[in-house]
Amino acid sequence: MTVARTICLGFLAVIAVGTILLMMPFSTSDGTWNNLIVALFTSTSAVCVTGLSVVDPGTYFSFWGQLFIALLAQIGGLGYMTTTTFLILLIGRKFDMRQKIAIQQALDRPGMSGSSQVIRSIIATTLIFEITGVFLLLPAFVPEYGWSKGLWLAIFHSINAWNNAGFSLFKDNLIGYQSSFLVVFTITMLIIFGGIGYQVILEMYLWLRDRIHKKTQHQVFTLDFKVATSTTIILLVIGIIAFFCIEIRNPETFGSLNFRDQILVAWFQSVTPRTAGFNTIDISKMTTAGLFITIALMFIGASPGGTGGGMKTTTLRVLTSCTKTILRGKEEVLLYDRKIAITLILKAVGVLVGSVATVIFATILISLTDPTLDFIQILFEVVSAFATVGLSTGITASISTAAKLILIITMYVGRVGVLLLMSAVLGDPRPTRIHYPEENLLVG
């Protein structure tokens, strides 16, 4: 079995186990057997760290059901291979060559050395951020709900924020906390750091360590770090300005709020499409322009190596750099004075084409199964599912069973990745030594 198939089948196995657990009577609040579609949809959404839900998790599921959702989101955020490898480390087994290759491909690492150290650092980073998030959220939840429920709310939302899952135990998601600087700051920081990638966080740590210890030789940032951080900052700034300018006159989202809360909501709305799924405003009340900006941000998504989905920030930068190169009449694609290999350019194009094709195909199918829905609602739901975001205009629970199954497949494809899934189906690509003559073609 190829590595790609191992990873894809691993996610399917976790989804299947999660479905069985969520179907059990002890997982529902009324103590009855759960509906298969509800359990399958919720399990897929959790493992694929999406956050779309056909029921209200806070009232529909019992504590055990909510715990399973949190654990599935944790496994999905870490990734199947990372979780499996961590379990192997716990029982003291050593990696064989196939497992090292699987880890390399799952984490998109250039080499196979130091795999166990990488896994340990990923787990440690995850625990540090999630525990910090819990302590920061406690002052917001405990005074209102008491220690037991307040602690659980803090744990659940911290896990979902770090893993960019977006499940909330509140009926209105986080709308009730749109004015809380503490909640908004904590959730958004967890979302950003969870989605920016473990390698970027490690480089930040090494740079800070060198500065604190006043070392003469400082950490040299890699191209991955520069592209991921700069693109993230640019998208966040553009998102804040765009949402503030567009929704400021909408009394049902921004218009009725004071200036401080408008800034908080604009900041949160700029962060959450990348790809968290929490919301502090009613998404269904947004303007069409606001929805399209959200769709664009969702489609771009987070950075490679993080817990988010989407096309990825690095893919966007490679493609925009290609466009810049063509407009300037040059032949080499450069990023921060570094030449981008043709293989990476082809991979970026493949990701873009595969992502667009998946979104178009799923949108067409749901348009056929649920013809009464508005196009913008369908497109929003499909992009949210594919980019593993979880934001919704409120149609998830009311769509047909066929549409729910389409969204389940879309979430799965978005989580494992289009190229990895194609590699699992078609087999690992094999380089060829056959070269064909070039010929010009009219383009554009």
Side-chain angles (χ1 to χ4, degrees), residues 224-263:
D224 279 320
F225 179 93
K226 295 176 182 178
V227 172
T229 52
S230 61
T231 307
T232 297
I233 293 172
I234 291 170
L235 290 174
L236 289 175
V237 172
I238 291 175
I240 293 171
I241 296 173
F243 285 122
F244 186 84
C245 294
I246 290 173
E247 297 291 330
I248 190 68
R249 297 181 181 179
N250 186 352
E252 296 184 292
T253 54
F254 284 41
S256 61
L257 304 175
N258 58 48
F259 181 74
R260 173 187 175 277
D261 290 350
Q262 287 173 344
I263 296 297

Side-chain angles (χ1 to χ4, degrees), residues 38-59:
V38 172
L40 176 61
F41 193 100
T42 306
S43 177
T44 305
S45 184
V47 174
C48 298
V49 290
T50 305
L52 285 175
S53 182
V54 294
V55 296
D56 176 24
T59 56

Side-chain angles (χ1 to χ4, degrees), residues 114-426:
S115 298
S116 60
Q117 289 82 358
V118 171
I119 297 299
R120 289 189 180 95
S121 65
I122 289 175
I123 299 297
T125 302
T126 298
L127 291 176
I128 290 171
F129 273 91
E130 288 181 350
I131 292 173
T132 303
V134 170
F135 279 108
L136 289 176
L137 290 174
L138 283 176
F141 297 148
V142 170
E144 185 176 356
Y145 296 98
W147 268 104
S148 58
K149 187 174 181 180
L151 177 61
W152 173 237
L153 288 172
I155 293 172
F156 187 89
H157 287 85
S158 181
I159 291 174
N160 276 270
W162 169 258
N163 291 291
N164 281 219
F167 281 100
S168 177
L169 299 182
F170 303 111
K171 283 188 175 182
D172 60 353
N173 208 280
L174 294 178
I175 295 178
Y177 293 92
Q178 63 181 194
S179 301
S180 173
F181 177 82
L182 180 62
V183 173
V184 169
F185 172 79
T186 303
I187 296 295
T188 52
M189 286 300 103
L190 287 171
I191 292 169
I192 291 172
F193 281 104
I196 205 168
Y198 299 104
Q199 182 62 34
V200 172
I201 296 174
L202 177 61
E203 290 189 39
M204 285 183 184
Y205 165 74
L206 294 176
W207 182 83
L208 287 173
R209 186 193 64 181
D210 292 344
R211 289 285 183 177
I212 293 173
H213 293 149
K214 297 180 180 180
K215 293 185 177 180
T216 55
Q217 292 184 341
H218 299 295
Q219 165 72 22
V220 178
F221 292 126
T222 63
L223 184 60
D224 279 320
F225 179 93
K226 295 176 182 178
V227 172
T229 52
S230 61
T231 307
T232 297
I233 293 172
I234 291 170
L235 290 174
L236 289 175
V237 172
I238 291 175
I240 293 171
I241 296 173
F243 285 122
F244 186 84
C245 294
I246 290 173
E247 297 291 330
I248 190 68
R249 297 181 181 179
N250 186 352
E252 296 184 292
T253 54
F254 284 41
S256 61
L257 304 175
N258 58 48
F259 181 74
R260 173 187 175 277
D261 290 350
Q262 287 173 344
I263 296 297
L264 282 178
V265 170
W267 161 252
F268 196 94
Q269 191 58 32
S270 178
V271 172
T272 194
R274 319 274 323 287
T275 54
F278 290 109
N279 59 283
T280 55
I281 58 172
D282 189 344
I283 301 298
S284 64
K285 302 294 179 59
M286 291 181 70
T287 61
T288 302
L291 290 175
F292 264 107
I293 292 173
T294 306
I295 289 173
L297 291 175
M298 289 194 301
F299 188 76
I300 295 170
S303 301
T307 58
M311 185 180 67
K312 306 298 185 184
T313 54
T314 49
T315 303
L316 174 67
R317 286 296 294 274
V318 169
L319 294 173
T320 53
S321 297
C322 288
T323 304
K324 183 179 178 182
T325 299
I326 293 297
L327 293 176
R328 291 188 172 184
K330 297 182 179 180
E331 296 182 354
E332 291 184 345
V333 179
L334 301 177
L335 268 173
Y336 295 99
D337 298 325
R338 293 292 185 271
K339 180 182 176 181
I340 305 301
I342 186 65
T343 52
L344 291 179
I345 296 173
L346 294 176
K347 184 177 180 180
V349 173
V351 170
L352 175 64
V353 173
S355 300
V356 171
T358 303
V359 169
I360 291 175
F361 188 59
T363 302
I364 292 173
L365 289 180
I366 295 181
S367 299
L368 293 174
T369 60
D370 295 61
T372 58
L373 295 176
D374 292 337
F375 169 75
I376 186 67
Q377 291 181 314
I378 298 174
L379 180 62
F380 192 97
E381 203 82 5
V382 169
V383 174
S384 180
F386 174 77
T388 69
V389 180
L391 292 175
S392 175
T393 56
I395 66 172
T396 315
S398 60
I399 58 177
S400 64
T401 301
K404 291 173 184 174
L405 292 174
I406 294 169
L407 287 180
I408 288 172
I409 296 172
T410 306
M411 287 188 287
Y412 175 74
V413 174
R415 181 64 186 94
V416 300
V418 176
L419 297 185
L420 185 67
L421 184 61
M422 292 301 296
S423 179
V425 175
L426 302 177

